[in-house]
Amino acid sequence: MTSESVSEETAEGAEPASSVDTADRADREVLVSVRGLKKHFPIMKGVFRRQVGAVRAVDGVSFDIYKGETLGLVGESGSGKSTTGKVILQLEQATEGTATFDGIELTETTGESLRKLRPRMQMIFQDPHSSLNPRMTVASIIAEPLREHGKGNAESQRKRIDELLSQVGLSPMHANRYPHEFSGGQRQRIGIARAIALNPDFVVCDEPIAALDVSIQAQVVNLLEELQDELGLTYLFISHDLSMVRHIADRVAVMYLGHIVELADVDALYDDPQHPYTQALNSAVPVPDPVVEAGRQRQILEGDIPSPSNPPPGCVFNTRCPLAEERCRTEVPEWRDIGDGHYVACHLVDHKTT
Amino acid sequence: MLEVSNLATEFHTPDGVVHAVNGIDFELRQGEFLGVVGESGSGKSVTMMSLLRLIPMPPGKIVSGSAMFDGNDLLEMDTSDLRKVRGGQIGFIFQDPMTSLNPVLTVGKQIGESLKLHTNATTRDARRRSLELLELVGIPDAEQRLKAYPHELSGGMRQRVMIAIALACSPKVIIADEPTTALDVTIQAQIIEIVRDLRAKLGTAVVWITHDLGVVAGLADRVIVMYGGRIVEEARVGDLYAQPHHPYTRGLLNSIPRLDQKGTDLETIEGQPPSLRKPPVGCSFAPRCQYAFDRCLTDTPQLTAVGFEHRAACWWDIENERPRDDV
Ligand SMILES: Nc1ncnc2c1ncn2[C@@H]1O[C@H](COP(=O)(O)OP(=O)(O)OP(=O)(O)O)[C@@H](O)[C@H]1O
Ligand SMILES: Nc1ncnc2c1ncn2[C@@H]1O[C@H](COP(=O)(O)OP(=O)(O)OP(=O)(O)O)[C@@H](O)[C@H]1O
Ligand code: SF4
Ligand code: SF4
Ligand SMILES: [Mg+2]
Ligand SMILES: [Mg+2]
């Protein structure tokens, strides 16, 4: 499936992309494809645990991830980024919608067939402290997926562990130590080694650097980039650090209250954002340069993010949007391609002007 | 207005001594905005908490130094006088407002308490002033919010309440320890805007601790960079970013991506921050420093002038690419 078929399905009236770009985009192979994906967590109450409502963590998102690219997924706390990643990997069950991986419908894959697919899709977590078992040595942590999926004998597993450790910049001498003997950055490297142990195609990186010191973040990001080049990995890179996402991503999706409100090539998203939320988000991120900061126009959003258990009707952003008009409070804006694979959900955004 | 010299703080734990702060000198001037940056564990919080003797003692121990505030040494002052300074002339804002707000008191009560403790405001005055303060920090429906309990407010609202409490007694100094780190970026922008606005209005001096070099760039007049319990560089904000002198500051600035620039390569500082368990000998950045030479391993570099109002603690003269002349 290509981006063109997305526009057919979901973006009526979208302008056809320029011919050069069409050719370029058609060449890219889709690895992961998500359509109308929803995840609602029931809210239970009372002695009989009756359902009294639902947290609409993910509320209908559609996007593709191309083979070999890094798709950045940004948004504020609670916007549904992690849940989106988990539902794609089937760590959470979708409430509605579909997610396909390499043409296989994941939401209908279960049991043994899902287990067989697992090695190809992995996840790296935010907190390198809690995601590693403190009672296991580094070697057994990394070997776990190898054993679970019956890859090789003890001897070849041993060799693979050494290889993986050097690949992530640790010494094979570290194999018999325990996680607490490592720094945060090193622990994240161990998590990465485990994630790539089975030669995955697709890795969801969920805030992989958020818990790390500034001087260590660049080390880990550079490592992820090197491994991507070496192993041809495809990443979904979840982060609330918009500056780092600009650095690492090829395309970026912006989430707000369970919805993706904008998705575009990285430079288009940062240099020419179309959705009012993306614009406000960009303007809120401080730039480490006093000269730039002094001359910056700031757009401050008012109010707080509404609760995902009671999202506003119409456009989810309407309670804070400086441009909101009457229909924004009743009509849900359509998710559509405004040209060049730039997707936006806003009533006021037409086709790309450039 | 506030002058700190040779401040050193240790923690005596069962596993040994943690040398958290190792001889710090800095001053804070009237009405200025001082940014304090550094990585986790570099000693930012312990430095500021030590000033007001807010660290737990034991295991903490202030082993040396003085902190002159308005002619008095905060470290020598008796506790009842110090209590008046805290929350009176010096206000504090912490990263997590939930730990410093009392969960069983309404917002109005908490601001009122602080007012009554430090001024001789009557209950009615305190109420009126609380309302003013909430409006000042941009809390809508201030009247209603006075009756709210902390858990009924969002993170951003709670942080505003903290700012209101810190401002309650018109302090000369506010020390803010990572006040926006736990907040979402659009909420952080709201808080920063309020602080900017308040500074212009009230002229309060601010010490703002953060690990975000972006936040400081837009707010500070001067910046202090901490590493391994020491100040390694100090400069006016423009100079620090345009001409960092210390290899650590330089490395840090080159390792962070920018929102306004296309994918440039990120330089890395190899290795890890120092352990504070051993008494520091030489430069604590030496194991990670590309310029390190013999002297760095044995002598501890002191802050030295490298330009106008610009000091760095490094034996290597990065501008002229040679060891610094003896100082
Ligand atoms: N297992 C769960 N049960 C109930 N609610 C959940 C569960 N997991 C997530 N949620 C809720 O779903 C919403 C989206 O959560 P999610 O963790 O996906 O957000 P996020 O964008 O990853 O946020 P953050 O940046 O804080 O990690 C939140 O309101 C969260 O509280
Ligand atoms: N109560 C304590 N007991 C033992 N060690 C402590 C205590 N409080 C702080 N420390 C140690 O002192 C050192 C400096 O800590 P400090 O909290 O000042 O760092 P920081 O620069 O504020 O870091 P962060 O950015 O993580 O807040 C750290 O190594 C810390 O572990
Ligand atoms: S649809 Fe309306 S409320 Fe939503 S972002 Fe666009 S203008 Fe704002
Ligand atoms: S004193 Fe030496 S080791 Fe320390 S920062 Fe300067 S050159 Fe590097
Ligand atoms: Mg998350
Ligand atoms: Mg701290």
Side-chain angles (χ1 to χ4, degrees), chain A residues 275-276 315 317-318 321 323-324 328 333 346-348:
Chain A
H275 196 280
C315 172
F317 188 52
N318 79 57
C321 180
L323 306 177
C328 301
C346 170
H347 291 308
L348 299 191

Side-chain angles (χ1 to χ4, degrees), chain A residues 81-82 206-207:
Chain A
K81 306 181 294 298
S82 298
D206 191 358
E207 308 264 13

Side-chain angles (χ1 to χ4, degrees), chain A residues 99-240:
Chain A
T100 62
F101 171 79
D102 208 4
I104 306 157
E105 178 48 65
L106 293 171
T107 39
E108 282 161 16
T109 310
T110 48
E112 187 54 22
S113 358
L114 182 60
R115 211 185 73 85
K116 283 224 178 85
L117 264 181
R118 285 254 176 256
R120 301 183 59 193
M121 311 180 292
Q122 294 290 321
M123 188 145 179
I124 298 168
F125 296 92
Q126 162 169 357
D127 189 356
H129 301 254
S130 62
S131 58
L132 303 177
N133 186 336
R135 278 178 293 276
M136 283 166 75
T137 62
V138 167
S140 37
I141 288 172
I142 301 176
E144 199 173 44
L146 297 172
R147 279 199 301 268
E148 203 172 302
H149 290 277
K151 296 281 154 125
N153 54 26
E155 156 102 28
S156 68
Q157 282 177 5
R158 185 78 237 173
K159 265 172 79 187
R160 178 80 178 128
I161 290 165
D162 287 355
E163 182 182 277
L164 285 162
L165 283 171
S166 2
Q167 231 168 351
V168 298
L170 293 171
S171 155
M173 277 159 33
H174 289 139
N176 293 319
R177 298 202 190 153
Y178 291 86
H180 75 262
E181 299 174 59
F182 293 88
S183 68
Q186 290 175 320
R187 273 188 278 227
Q188 199 52 290
R189 289 174 193 265
I190 298 167
I192 293 170
R194 182 178 55 184
I196 61 170
L198 296 166
N199 288 317
D201 300 300
F202 176 53
V203 181
V204 174
C205 310
D206 191 358
E207 308 264 13
I209 56 165
L212 305 178
D213 265 332
V214 186
S215 78
I216 308 298
Q217 292 185 349
Q219 293 179 5
V220 171
V221 165
N222 285 351
L223 172 64
L224 287 171
E225 287 181 310
E226 276 162 39
L227 291 173
Q228 180 167 48
D229 288 347
E230 258 167 58
L231 309 173
L233 299 172
T234 303
Y235 289 144
L236 177 64
F237 190 89
I238 298 175
S239 179
H240 58 258

Side-chain angles (χ1 to χ4, degrees), chain B residues 11 13 18 20 38-47 56 59 178 211 276:
Chain B
F11 291 96
T13 69
V18 179
E39 294 178 73
S40 186
S42 59
K44 307 181 295 294
S45 301
V46 171
T47 299
E178 312 243 13
H211 58 260
L276 301 169

Side-chain angles (χ1 to χ4, degrees), chain B residues 111-317:
Chain B
I111 306 179
E113 291 292 297
S114 170
L115 279 166
K116 279 194 258 176
L117 188 74
H118 294 285
T119 63
N120 29 27
T122 62
T123 308
R124 256 189 69 203
D125 287 348
R127 204 191 124 73
R128 189 183 39 81
R129 178 91 178 113
S130 306
L131 212 78
E132 263 172 35
L133 284 162
L134 289 190
E135 274 160 12
L136 193 67
V137 296
I139 294 189
D141 297 330
E143 191 93 35
Q144 285 303 309
R145 302 291 175 169
L146 282 178
K147 294 179 221 147
Y149 289 91
H151 74 267
E152 296 171 321
L153 303 175
S154 67
M157 283 295 166
R158 270 184 240 148
Q159 204 51 288
R160 286 169 202 239
V161 170
M162 277 303 296
I163 297 176
I165 292 174
L167 285 174
C169 306
S170 312
K172 293 184 186 150
V173 180
I174 287 185
I175 298 176
D177 191 353
E178 312 243 13
T180 59
T181 305
L183 302 176
D184 273 322
V185 59
T186 62
I187 310 299
Q188 165 173 286
Q190 293 173 353
I191 300 287
I192 287 177
E193 206 52 28
I194 287 164
V195 171
R196 228 184 233 123
D197 196 44
L198 288 173
R199 261 196 82 212
K201 266 192 219 150
L202 309 176
T204 316
V206 181
V207 178
W208 186 287
I209 301 174
T210 178
H211 58 260
D212 188 331
L213 286 152
V215 171
V216 158
L219 276 173
D221 301 316
R222 287 193 309 128
V223 183
I224 282 174
V225 181
M226 289 193 66
Y227 188 82
R230 286 214 174 86
I231 295 177
V232 295
E233 187 158 8
E234 176 194 88
R236 294 187 302 173
V237 68
D239 299 334
L240 188 90
Y241 287 78
Q243 267 197 322
H245 272 257
H246 196 281
Y248 173 65
T249 316
R250 208 168 260 216
L252 207 55
L253 285 168
N254 289 336
S255 74
I256 50 175
R258 291 174 55 147
L259 185 87
D260 61 341
Q261 277 175 9
K262 275 188 215 212
T264 42
D265 285 346
L266 301 182
E267 275 179 34
T268 53
I269 305 177
E270 294 306 323
Q272 294 138 40
S275 155
L276 301 169
R277 302 238 163 235
K278 283 173 277 167
V281 177
C283 172
S284 50
F285 189 57
R288 306 174 76 186
C289 181
Q290 63 182 114
Y291 304 101
F293 58 105
D294 347 341
R295 186 175 190 182
C296 310
L297 303 176
T298 50
D299 294 358
T300 304
Q302 303 298 319
L303 278 177
T304 314
V306 294
F308 180 65
E309 299 210 327
H310 194 157
R311 299 193 296 163
C314 174
W315 295 125
W316 185 252
D317 181 346

